[in-house]
């Protein structure tokens, strides 16, 4: 009997194919879901980016509108100060800051609390002027005439007073920090309670003289200088100091003990 080879279907083959189909479908679904998630994330990111850009644009537009159409926060304060007139420009408080005042004549004028900060007032005349509480910060007043002027409570910080005429001026309580008095005429000037640099005080005490006609204060006393008599006595070799008379010399010789006959 001839043997026949009967091909029996493999039992595991359909199962294997079914499993492979299942895995392939799962892989496809997973890739599809990942792609859809990535698309959704990309769309969300683009939406956020678009929204952020829109917000930024709106903020920039609002800021530009505010800058060009809205008044600054200090507008009300500025209007109030303008209405009040500020510190200067009211009454006697004139404004001469950084002004060119060479040779100007302010004689006898009432300029209390006026501002002369950084002004060039060389050779200007303030003779007999009222300048109480004025500002001469960094002012150049070389060779200016302040004779008989009231300069009490004035601020002369870093000012130039070289060659200025301060004869009989009232300088009470005035501040002269880092101010140069080189060659200034201070005869009869009243420096009572004024703030003067020590180096300038020493220099002026060498030639200070006179009494203020208005206040009756001695210039040397107001500057804190030593008395002229004490100054001269402090230098025994000075010819201006007190001299020993001949009788005093003889009395001194007589008072010495005799060692030899």
């Amino acid at each position: 009997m001839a043997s026949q080879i009967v091909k029996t279907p493999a039992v595991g083959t359909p199962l294997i194919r079914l499993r492979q189909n299942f895995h392939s479908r799962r892989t496809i679904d997973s890739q599809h879901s990942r792609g859809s998630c990535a698309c959704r994330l990309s769309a969300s990111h683009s939406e956020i980016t678009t929204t952020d850009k829109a917000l930024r644009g709106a903020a920039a537009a609002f800021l530009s509108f505010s800058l060009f159409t809205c008044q600054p926060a200090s507008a009300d304060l500025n209007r109030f100060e303008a209405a009040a007139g500020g510190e200067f420009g009211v009454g006697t408080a004139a404004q001469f800051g950084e002004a060119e005042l060479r040779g100007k004549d302010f004689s006898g004028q009432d300029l209390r609390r006026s501002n002369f900060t950084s002004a060039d007032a060389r050779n200007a005349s303030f003779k007999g002027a009222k300048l109480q509480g004025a500002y001469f910060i960094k002012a150049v007043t070389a060779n200016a005439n302040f004779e008989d002027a009231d300069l009490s409570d004035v601020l002369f910080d870093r000012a130039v007073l070289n060659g200025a005429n301060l004869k009989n001026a009232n300088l009470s309580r005035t501040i002269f920090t880092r101010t140069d008095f080189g060659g200034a005429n201070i005869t009869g000037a009243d420096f009572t309670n004024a703030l003067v640099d020590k180096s300038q005080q020493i220099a002026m005490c060498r030639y200070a003289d006179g009494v203020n006609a208005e206040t009756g204060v001695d210039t040397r006393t107001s500057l804190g200088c030593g008395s002229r008599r004490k100054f001269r006595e402090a230098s025994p070799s000075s010819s201006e100091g007190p001299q020993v008379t001949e009788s005093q010399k003889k009395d001194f010789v007589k008072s010495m003990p005799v060692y030899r006959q």
Side-chain angles (χ1 to χ4, degrees):
M1 181 175 178
S3 59
Q4 295 180 355
I5 300 174
V6 180
K7 296 182 179 179
T8 57
V11 178
T13 302
L15 295 174
I16 292 172
R17 289 178 180 176
L18 183 62
R19 185 177 295 174
Q20 290 176 349
N21 292 336
F22 175 76
H23 283 297
S24 62
R25 284 184 178 181
R26 189 175 180 181
T27 302
I28 293 171
D29 292 340
S30 176
Q31 292 177 352
H32 178 71
S33 62
R34 289 178 182 175
S36 61
C37 289
C39 291
R40 286 197 297 272
L41 289 173
S42 177
S44 301
H45 179 69
S46 63
E47 290 177 359
I48 293 172
T49 304
T50 304
T51 305
D52 185 48
K53 289 181 178 179
L55 290 174
R56 290 181 180 179
F62 177 75
L63 181 60
S64 300
F65 177 78
S66 301
L67 291 175
F68 286 102
T69 60
C70 298
Q71 294 182 346
S74 59
D76 294 335
L77 179 60
N78 291 339
R79 281 197 294 268
F80 173 77
E81 290 182 346
E87 182 178 359
F88 305 108
V90 178
T92 63
Q95 176 63 271
F96 297 103
E98 299 184 355
E100 175 61 53
L101 303 175
R102 295 190 188 187
K104 295 288 184 179
D105 188 5
F106 297 97
S107 300
Q109 295 187 24
D110 190 350
L111 298 169
R112 288 172 292 174
R113 298 185 302 105
S114 294
N115 183 30
F116 293 90
T117 298
S118 298
D120 187 353
R122 284 176 279 187
N123 300 303
S125 178
F126 297 92
K127 184 176 181 179
K130 296 179 180 178
L131 295 161
Q132 298 100 308
Y135 299 89
F136 282 87
I137 305 169
K138 294 184 179 180
V140 180
T141 56
N143 301 313
N145 186 7
F146 291 100
E147 185 175 352
D148 298 322
D150 191 343
L151 291 163
S152 56
D153 302 295
V154 173
L155 180 57
F156 267 101
D157 181 57
R158 291 164 291 176
V160 178
L161 282 167
N162 296 77
N165 182 12
L166 296 169
K167 184 178 180 180
N168 207 45
N170 186 355
L171 309 172
S172 302
R173 299 174 302 278
T174 296
I175 296 175
F176 292 103
T177 48
R178 298 176 63 183
T179 296
D180 193 356
F181 288 88
N185 182 0
I186 59 171
T187 303
D190 184 358
F191 287 90
T192 300
N193 295 323
L195 181 59
V196 183
D197 292 342
K198 190 65 177 179
S199 59
Q200 296 295 317
Q201 178 199 19
I202 294 173
M204 287 190 290
C205 280
R206 293 173 182 169
Y207 64 91
D209 197 6
V211 177
N212 189 278
E214 184 70 23
T215 63
V217 176
D218 181 80
T219 301
R220 296 184 60 81
T221 302
S222 65
L223 269 174
C225 307
S227 68
R228 184 162 298 176
R229 180 180 59 82
K230 291 182 179 180
F231 177 77
R232 289 175 177 175
E233 289 180 353
S235 303
S237 60
S238 174
S239 59
E240 296 181 0
Q243 303 298 313
V244 180
T245 62
E246 292 297 327
S247 60
Q248 289 175 331
K249 291 179 181 179
K250 291 178 181 180
D251 292 338
F252 176 75
V253 171
K254 290 179 181 179
S255 65
M256 295 179 64
V258 179
Y259 295 101
R260 293 180 183 179
Q261 293 293 341

